[in-house]
Amino acid sequence: MKLLPAKYIIEQAVARGTLTHGMKVLETSSGTFALGLAVVCRERGFQLEIFTDPVMDKGLENRLSSLGAKVVIITEKAKQGGYQRSRLDALQARMRQLGHSCFWPRQYQTPDNPAAYKLFADHISEMLDADVTLVGSVGSGGSTCGTIEHLRQKAPGARLIGVDTFNSVIFGQQDGERKLRGLGNSLVPKNVKHELYDEVHLISAPLAFAATRTLHERHAVFAGPTSGASYIAGRWRARQYPKETVVVICPDEGHRYVEAVYDHEWLKQNGCLHEGVLLDAPATENHPSTALPPWNRYLWKRRSREAVLSLLEQV
């Protein structure tokens, strides 16, 4: 999936002249956007440097290296903003070193990231009609916000459900350790347009891991935990509103998680073994900042982050 924005961002930069032959591409990523960039940069002949942290699995690191990318692993967290901040700091230091001979795609803030999903939105419109309920995990905000913006040009009533995890600051939780990666953030990306979301679901790592395995066992969809988190929220929505067409974005593949989410012993060792059946419904919290695991739902109602956070101060 991340090939879509990676290809679009690079092509737009080349067309504008902000990326020219001989320049290096620098980005911060621990997941599939890095892989998308590596594929595109290999094809276009650009050198790529990825700034990441220890959460990147060895398999992905090897794939990036085989595509010619240089992987820089940052091992110390910043006091504020965690690895996200320290990775950005390292990237910006490298940019100062290279001067004008580098290009930063800025996946978390470039408007080219959400703009890339027009193609995806058009496919949905052609296949299913634009008036859908879109469910997707929120990391950079590109896929959910970009897709719904284009869908609402044809169907203003199209609904958007964002899926995040606990201890992510995007929708108002306090920053903290997150075992569920690929969504959430320690910083609020500019590409997350909060006023586009109708509701937000916060899902814990053990529940997302259980949902990922269920998605594979019941539907043979071999995906990662970001997809599992979105699947459980989408499944609930479809059962609650059977007349809606619910589209769930599954952004990650399962190959990276064969020895993790798909391994019983790994789940047990990491305290993420979900013994029971998947929960049938989320709890509904008065405010996302006070929501607790394993699964919470909040009616965001297309408001700004500031507007929602101010509601807590009024309580």
Side-chain angles (χ1 to χ4, degrees):
M1 175 177 133
K2 295 294 185 179
L3 273 169
L4 192 63
K7 187 172 187 289
Y8 188 81
I9 292 169
I10 294 298
E11 287 180 346
Q12 291 299 305
V14 170
R16 296 181 187 121
T18 52
L19 175 59
T20 57
H21 183 70
M23 294 175 67
K24 288 187 176 182
V25 178
L26 312 180
E27 185 56 288
T28 170
S29 173
S30 61
T32 48
F33 186 70
L35 186 59
L37 274 180
V39 172
V40 176
C41 287
R42 184 67 175 226
E43 179 186 40
R44 304 286 302 231
F46 293 109
Q47 289 185 316
L48 172 66
E49 294 183 16
I50 293 293
F51 292 81
T52 187
D53 59 71
V55 75
M56 178 179 283
D57 59 282
K58 192 64 178 177
L60 179 57
E61 184 183 350
N62 289 341
R63 291 178 72 181
L64 292 171
S65 297
S66 72
L67 288 167
K70 179 181 178 181
V71 180
V72 181
I73 298 177
I74 308 302
T75 57
E76 291 188 13
K77 287 184 181 180
K79 290 183 179 180
Q80 291 187 333
Y83 280 124
Q84 296 278 2
R85 181 73 264 167
S86 57
R87 280 161 37 179
L88 283 169
D89 289 344
L91 182 149
Q92 289 166 349
R94 179 62 169 151
M95 288 183 67
R96 290 191 293 270
Q97 185 182 51
L98 293 173
H100 297 293
S101 62
C102 65
F103 170 73
W104 177 17
R106 299 173 187 260
Q107 63 158 320
Y108 293 107
Q109 52 189 288
T110 176
D112 288 337
N113 183 351
Y117 289 92
K118 180 182 185 301
L119 178 64
F120 178 48
D122 287 343
H123 283 325
I124 293 174
S125 298
E126 292 167 6
M127 294 171 62
L128 304 169
D129 190 63
D131 187 17
V132 301
T133 298
L134 183 71
V135 182
S137 57
V138 184
S140 70
S143 61
T144 51
C145 294
T147 305
I148 201 66
E149 281 186 309
H150 291 298
L151 288 173
R152 284 180 182 163
Q153 289 177 6
K154 298 179 180 179
R159 298 150 298 278
L160 177 61
I161 298 176
V163 180
D164 198 2
T165 189
F166 298 92
N167 298 331
S168 162
V169 304
I170 295 178
F171 294 101
Q173 289 250 311
Q174 290 294 312
D175 187 29
E177 291 291 334
R178 297 186 297 277
K179 289 183 179 179
L180 181 57
R181 302 299 293 261
L183 72 170
N185 215 305
S186 294
L187 303 170
V188 182
K190 290 184 179 179
N191 273 333
V192 177
K193 298 179 181 178
H194 294 82
E195 63 276 11
L196 295 176
Y197 295 89
D198 293 286
E199 62 183 71
V200 172
H201 288 239
L202 299 177
I203 294 179
S204 69
L207 184 58
F209 295 164
T212 304
R213 293 165 68 101
T214 301
L215 184 60
H216 185 238
E217 291 163 4
R218 295 184 184 176
H219 306 287
V221 175
F222 187 47
T226 3
S227 298
S230 296
Y231 161 67
I232 192 172
R235 187 182 74 157
W236 175 83
R237 180 76 186 194
R239 289 176 174 178
Q240 289 293 114
Y241 301 93
K243 293 184 179 180
E244 291 182 3
T245 300
V246 180
V247 177
V248 178
I249 300 175
C250 293
D252 51 358
E253 61 185 13
H255 301 90
R256 294 174 56 198
Y257 305 97
V258 171
E259 297 179 356
V261 175
Y262 290 96
D263 185 86
H264 182 89
E265 284 304 313
W266 182 91
L267 292 172
K268 186 176 180 180
Q269 291 170 10
N270 285 272
C272 290
L273 193 60
H274 195 272
E275 299 289 356
V277 180
L278 284 185
L279 295 178
D280 289 327
T284 299
E285 189 57 55
N286 291 329
H287 198 273
S289 65
T290 57
L292 296 172
W295 182 10
N296 236 284
R297 167 180 175 254
Y298 180 74
L299 297 178
W300 195 269
K301 298 181 180 179
R302 304 192 187 186
R303 292 170 290 184
S304 68
R305 187 173 185 271
E306 292 72 20
V308 172
L309 292 183
S310 68
L311 294 175
L312 184 64
E313 299 172 0
Q314 298 171 16
V315 177

